[in-house]
Amino acid sequence: MVLSGRLSTEVGIKTPADKFFKLYASELHELQNHCERIHHAKLHEGEEWHDTDTVKHWTYVIDGEVHTCHETIEEVDEQIKKITWKLFGGNIDNHYKIFKLILEVSDKADGTAVVKWTVEYEKISEDINPPNGWMDFLFKNTRDVDANLVKERIAL
């Protein structure tokens, strides 16, 4: 019985890795302004968006359905531009015992960058499908964020 798994996708972006990573590392509250699939984000517990003991509440759309969950930051590595979040509550707990999102951003030699998203999960039963809808959600959000950050850079 295989209940745990890992899904990954890589997305090329035009935004420099530092700028893209900064949005997730220190401006996470702005994410809902960049992504049409994220409807609402708010602090649930704590006072600082980027503390590891803060809990955020998210409302978002995957596969045309509105979902909610809570999220905490598990780890931030500024040097290699990597963040790990733990998601729980809401729709997550209906399907998964463990659900983590991992973001890694790296520059390419041509001045562009690559965003790698990894979803690590443990299903509550074999009847639950892998979180494939999350890969599409993360891909489209990455495209939205990149397009908005490129526009901001051009406007300057």
Side-chain angles (χ1 to χ4, degrees):
M1 176 186 308
V2 178
L3 296 176
S4 60
R6 173 182 263 216
L7 300 172
S8 292
T9 189
E10 291 188 4
V11 184
I13 60 171
K14 296 176 183 171
T15 304
D18 284 338
K19 185 171 184 170
F20 191 91
F21 181 77
K22 180 183 177 197
L23 178 70
Y24 287 87
S26 62
E27 301 168 359
L28 193 60
H29 59 283
E30 292 291 329
L31 193 58
Q32 62 191 333
N33 299 325
H34 291 276
C35 304
E36 70 178 61
R37 286 158 207 81
I38 297 175
H39 289 189
H40 188 67
K42 67 179 182 177
L43 286 174
H44 182 71
E45 293 177 17
E47 296 181 21
E48 172 56 43
W49 274 83
H50 301 95
D51 283 346
T52 54
D53 60 347
T54 300
V55 177
K56 279 80 68 187
H57 180 269
W58 295 89
T59 303
Y60 51 94
V61 175
I62 293 182
D63 295 333
E65 293 182 25
V66 176
H67 295 265
T68 63
C69 75
H70 290 97
E71 162 265 309
T72 60
I73 298 169
E74 278 200 345
E75 176 188 15
V76 177
D77 187 326
E78 303 260 347
Q79 191 169 20
I80 62 170
K81 298 178 192 74
K82 179 180 177 183
I83 305 172
T84 303
W85 295 275
K86 177 183 173 186
L87 279 60
F88 57 95
N91 298 93
I92 297 293
D93 286 355
N94 294 336
H95 299 97
Y96 305 99
K97 291 180 187 177
I98 297 170
F99 198 93
K100 294 182 183 182
L101 293 181
I102 301 165
L103 168 69
E104 298 171 83
V105 188
S106 56
D107 283 310
K108 291 174 42 177
D110 65 0
T112 62
V114 174
V115 174
K116 180 179 179 183
W117 285 104
T118 302
V119 176
E120 293 180 354
Y121 61 92
E122 182 180 340
K123 303 183 289 183
I124 60 173
S125 75
E126 277 192 352
D127 300 332
I128 303 295
N129 290 325
N132 293 316
W134 271 90
M135 301 318 295
D136 184 55
F137 173 78
L138 294 168
F139 176 83
K140 288 178 179 174
N141 285 347
T142 300
R143 290 286 188 211
D144 288 350
V145 168
D146 185 41
N148 282 315
L149 292 178
V150 167
K151 281 184 206 171
E152 287 177 7
R153 197 171 77 194
I154 290 171
L156 297 175

